Structures are given as structure tokens and as C-alpha cells.
Amino acid sequence: MTTTVTTTATTTATTLPGGTWTLGDRPVTRMGYGAMQLAGPGVMGPPADRDGALAVLREAVGLGLTHLDTAHAYGPQVTNELIRDALHPYAGSLTIATKVGATRDAQGGWPAARQPADLRRQVHQNLESLGVEVLDVVHLRLGTAAGTAPEPISEAFGALADLQREGLVRHLGVSNATAEQVREARAIAPIVAVQNLYNLAVRHDDALIDELASDGIAYVPFFPLGGFTPLQSAALSAVARRHEATPIAVALAWLLHRSPNILLIAGTSSVDHLRQNVAGAGLPLTEADLAELDRIGG
Ligand SMILES: NC(=O)c1ccc[n+]([C@@H]2O[C@H](COP(=O)([O-])OP(=O)(O)OC[C@H]3O[C@@H](n4cnc5c(N)ncnc54)[C@H](OP(=O)(O)O)[C@@H]3O)[C@@H](O)[C@H]2O)c1
């Protein structure tokens, strides 16, 4: 049985690095948390350490983070169920963003599932596994695990807009999308976020980030720390040494500095790493640091 969740927006006063952003009508801390890697090896359940995963989620909320990222395909359903088990009934200030558009096969692959009936089923699966009656933010996840693909999206995004009109979804977003697909989606219904691959070393979306910022739409980089291939660069290490900080702190601080519409959803399965990330992302970067870091993505 699902439980009604009070999602009345509250004013978020935060001392967290980056302050806050508003996703549609939902104020969120720019420091958020991405739950994907809690699902288990290969993002297939069961989780490697279930109690540890629950502790990380509780610590994220305890530290004041109000934006969690998940998807029904993680596990599948594993991260949604961990979030529900750790945090339900949810605080009114918490915004949980999820994704639909891909499913999982027996080999751990991520086949697309973007027919209107697939999307309706996945929205209901998310509602059930998260234990809510309305999903805060649903991204239509496009492309493949290998990257974006220039396919038309009007049928799929139109189906999600129908689910929003039915009251099952509060806000829409797109993920793994080309700039053209972002424009196509926006012509169908308003979006509050684009979630794409972006970090210090992968900067294809620079122009898109600026365009979205001027329109008040969030940009949520996935793999902000490089994902399964941790960011490594001499410049990153040099800047970190100057500040007596870690390269991870520098990479997060750089993203927060890059544009006010960037929301962080760095993942970790460790409470200590989570605390380090929240503390480290506020690192003040100098003009000289920024110039040096800019060369990484150049
Ligand atoms: N839309 C999409 O298609 C898509 C695709 C991929 C991911 N995502 C979303 O993006 C989120 C972030 O991606 P991600 O978690 O895969 O990659 P990530 O945030 O770039 O990096 C996570 C990795 O960094 C390590 N890490 C984090 N903090 C650390 C610290 N302080 N010290 C040392 N290592 C640290 C983690 O290891 P430990 O666990 O050991 O800390 C983990 O291996 C996901 O959770 C998911 O919500 C979306």
C-alpha cells in the first residue's frame, strides 16, 4: 500500500556548499546525492552492504541534503527500495528525482523501454517502490549506456507529459539527451532538469549548461567524479595539493562554481566519503585554479 507524502515546499535555509536551487516549485540543496552505486556490483542487486547503504542515505538527509537521485532500473528497484526503507515517511523538504526509459536484462544490460506503455509501467513501479502517490521529478532517460543517440523523442516525452497531467508526476526532466532532444522536449512540456554526463574532463555540454541556466532549468551532471573511471589529471592533483585538499573536493567545488544551475549528485557507498564530499565541495577556488582546471576539459 502506498502512503501519501506531504511535499509542501519549505524555505530551505542551508549552509551547505552551493546553497539552494528551485526545481519547479521544489527548493533543493545544490549538494545532493546519487544512489545508483548503492544497488550492488554492476548496479544489479543485492547491495554489497545493505546496512551500510541505509546508513549512507540517512546520513545524506541528516547532513541536510534535500535532493536524491535514483531510477527504477538501479538494481532493478533496489535503490528505490533502499531509499524507502531508510527514509520513509519522507521529510516534506526532500525531493526524490527518478528516471524511466530503460530497463535491465539478465546480463545487466540497459535495454531501452520507451514505448508509452513501458513508461506508464515504470512510473507505477517507481511510485510503488518509493512508496509515494506522486513522483517529484521524473527524467526520461534517452540514448544508451554508451551515450546519447539522436532519436526522436516526441512520442515518449508526450507519454510522460500525459502521466504528469494525470497527477502522477510533479515535474519532468530528460537525461542522456542531446541539445536537440532537450529542445524537442521543451516544445512538448516544461522541464525542470537535464541530467547528462559532465565533469571536469567531459565538457561537451558547456553551451547547453549556459542556455539552461539562462532559462532557470537545472543541469545535473551524472558521473561528476568520473563514475566507474575516477577523474585523474595532473592539473587536478596540483590544484588539490595547493589547497591541501583532495582531487575529489576540487572536482566538486569546480562544478558548483561552474554555473548556479548545476546540482551535484555525486555517489558514494561510504558515510565518511559523503561527509568529505559535503565538506570539501565548498573549497574556494582562485582564478589561477580555474584557469588551470579549464585546461583539463580543453
Ligand atoms: N542518467 C544517467 O544515465 C545516469 C548514469 C550514471 C549515473 N547517474 C546518476 O549519477 C549519480 C552519480 O554517478 P556515480 O555515483 O556513478 O559516479 P560519481 O559520482 O562520478 O562517482 C562515484 C564514485 O566516486 C567514489 N567516491 C565518491 N566520493 C569519494 C570520496 N570522497 N573519496 C573517494 N572516492 C569517492 C565512489 O566510491 P565510494 O563508494 O568508495 O565512495 C564511487 O566509486 C549516480 O548515483 C546516479 O544517480 C545517472
Side-chain angles (χ1 to χ4, degrees):
M1 191 176 109
T2 57
T3 308
T4 305
V5 177
T6 306
T7 50
T8 311
T10 53
T11 306
T12 318
T14 180
T15 52
L16 291 170
T20 59
W21 176 265
T22 303
L23 277 174
D25 64 343
R26 313 267 318 146
V28 294
T29 52
R30 290 180 66 209
M31 290 300 300
Y33 174 72
M36 182 180 85
Q37 294 200 29
L38 293 183
V43 197
M44 290 294 273
D49 174 6
R50 182 184 154 77
D51 288 345
L54 295 174
V56 169
L57 289 162
R58 292 188 182 117
E59 181 69 10
V61 170
L63 289 168
L65 277 52
T66 62
H67 178 214
L68 299 185
D69 186 76
T70 183
H72 94 292
Y74 298 163
Q77 299 291 14
V78 170
T79 60
N80 281 3
E81 288 168 4
L82 288 169
I83 288 170
R84 185 194 60 208
D85 291 351
L87 302 173
H88 198 283
Y90 304 114
S93 56
L94 186 66
T95 291
I96 301 175
T98 188
K99 289 164 231 100
V100 293
T103 183
R104 303 303 295 278
D105 61 24
Q107 292 71 45
W110 303 75
R114 295 197 272 276
Q115 293 300 310
D118 298 325
L119 298 172
R120 180 170 292 276
R121 185 174 60 253
Q122 292 164 44
V123 161
H124 280 282
Q125 286 170 335
N126 275 288
L127 289 166
E128 182 67 28
S129 51
L130 287 169
V132 297
E133 292 184 347
V134 186
L135 298 169
D136 293 326
V137 181
V138 176
H139 295 89
L140 176 62
R141 200 266 201 181
L142 298 161
T144 68
T148 58
E151 63 206 312
I153 66 163
S154 57
E155 186 186 28
F157 197 73
L160 270 193
D162 288 342
L163 291 159
Q164 183 184 37
R165 273 189 292 273
E166 289 174 32
L168 300 178
V169 175
R170 206 163 267 116
H171 298 295
L172 300 175
V174 289
S175 177
N176 213 20
T178 65
E180 181 51 36
Q181 289 166 332
V182 172
R183 281 189 273 278
E184 198 180 342
R186 293 181 65 186
I188 295 168
I191 61 170
V192 298
V194 173
Q195 185 177 132
N196 276 0
L197 172 58
Y198 184 82
N199 56 45
L200 256 173
V202 180
R203 298 187 51 181
H204 307 134
D205 272 352
D206 271 330
L208 179 62
I209 289 170
D210 296 337
E211 181 183 326
L212 295 171
S214 66
D215 290 343
I217 296 171
Y219 184 90
V220 186
F222 74 72
F223 292 161
L225 300 173
F228 298 105
T229 315
L231 283 175
Q232 280 180 335
S233 109
L236 185 56
S237 299
V239 172
R241 265 196 308 276
R242 276 207 294 278
H243 286 276
E244 298 182 355
T246 63
I248 283 177
V250 175
L252 295 174
W254 180 83
L255 283 168
L256 283 183
H257 181 276
R258 167 65 184 79
S259 185
N261 65 330
I262 288 189
L263 308 184
L264 296 188
I265 55 161
T268 177
S269 51
S270 149
V271 166
D272 284 346
H273 287 174
L274 179 66
R275 290 180 184 146
Q276 286 166 22
N277 295 350
V278 170
L283 192 71
L285 297 173
T286 65
E287 288 304 320
D289 296 333
L290 295 170
E292 192 166 354
L293 294 170
D294 254 348
R295 286 197 286 277
I296 299 174

